């Protein structure tokens, strides 16, 4: 069981928008930056969102991040079939003194 | 650009020690924090631990008794040792560069990842 809670799966049609939630607590999301990672099938995770809501160089503006209290959200607009992947949130947990990840959300673009 | 490459045996016997190395190019291990992360087959990501630019370490409490992360500045690589392995340690192992927040005193983003290496624990 992961410290951060994500929905196991989400789906939407091409061109549509989807959001993926990541729920935690005051010891992790509530007190630390949240990162998001995209893992395409058979590949290593890729850094997608930095410091809650910043896009690293090369990440399209179709991807966005936000944080409120002890929850964070990843948004993807203009969905493409190439966006089909597992998405993970991650942050530091001050009680565990460890990096924690969500269980991952599988995005299907119908 | 910064690149990380994991290497090590793909098969380890139960009760033995798993040893992996992460070679870093285009960045100095003396300038950042560096982590190991693993992913069991069909499952999510699990952080193993990090080593800082100065050689200090921090491990996941669930693995702390079995993990050692060390660095070799002369070769610009860092290593993972996981002792007393069982089948539950079968996973793809990734190394990654971490960014460190001075104000909070902990790492946050993992901005560069290696391609991963598969380790199977089996006799």
């Amino acid at each position: 069981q992961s410290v951060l809670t994500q929905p196991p799966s989400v789906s939407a049609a091409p061109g549509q928008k989807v959001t993926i939630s990541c729920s935690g607590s005051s010891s992790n999301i509530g007190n630390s930056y949240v990162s998001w990672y995209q893992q395409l099938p058979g590949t290593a995770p890729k850094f997608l969102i930095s410091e809650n809501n910043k896009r690293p160089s090369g990440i399209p503006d179709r991807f966005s991040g936000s944080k409120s209290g002890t929850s964070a959200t990843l948004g993807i607009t203009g969905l493409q079939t190439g966006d089909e992947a597992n998405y993970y949130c991650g942050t530091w947990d001050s009680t565990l003194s460890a990096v924690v990840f969500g269980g991952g959300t599988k995005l299907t673009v119908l | 650009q910064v690149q990380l490459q994991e290497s090590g045996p793909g098969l380890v016997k139960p009760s033995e020690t798993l040893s992996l190395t992460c070679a870093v190019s285009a960045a100095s291990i003396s300038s950042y924090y560096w982590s190991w992360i693993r992913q069991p087959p069909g499952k999510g990501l699990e952080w193993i631990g990090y080593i800082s630019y100065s050689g200090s370490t921090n491990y996941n409490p669930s693995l702390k008794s079995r993990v050692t992360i060390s660095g070799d500045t002369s070769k610009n690589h860092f290593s993972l040792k996981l002792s007393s392995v069982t089948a539950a340690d079968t996973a793809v192992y990734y190394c990654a560069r971490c960014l460190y927040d001075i104000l909070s005193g902990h790492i946050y983003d993992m901005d560069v990842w290696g391609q991963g290496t598969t380790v199977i624990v089996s006799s």
Side-chain angles (χ1 to χ4, degrees), chain A residues 3 11 17 26 31 37 40 43 65 67 69 71 84-85 89 94 100 102:
Chain A
V3 173
S11 62
K17 173 183 177 179
S26 59
N31 263 303
Y37 305 91
L40 297 170
T43 69
K67 187 181 102 168
S71 293
E84 288 201 332
C89 56
S94 56
V100 291

Side-chain angles (χ1 to χ4, degrees), chain B residues 39-106:
Chain B
Q39 185 172 34
K43 297 188 178 181
L45 303 171
E46 179 181 32
W47 178 73
I48 298 171
Y50 72 63
I51 184 167
S52 77
Y53 60 85
S54 64
S56 63
T57 55
N58 191 332
Y59 304 134
N60 189 323
S62 67
L63 298 168
K64 190 173 184 176
S65 63
R66 300 194 291 131
V67 173
T68 301
I69 297 176
S70 59
D72 186 333
T73 55
S74 66
K75 295 180 180 178
N76 206 41
H77 71 206
F78 61 103
S79 301
L80 168 70
K81 290 188 185 299
L82 182 65
S83 64
S84 305
V85 298
T86 69
D89 295 310
T90 293
V92 177
Y93 285 76
Y94 298 100
C95 56
R97 187 177 74 172
C98 314
L99 303 182
Y100 179 78
D101 180 18
I102 293 176
L103 291 179
S104 64
H106 57 70

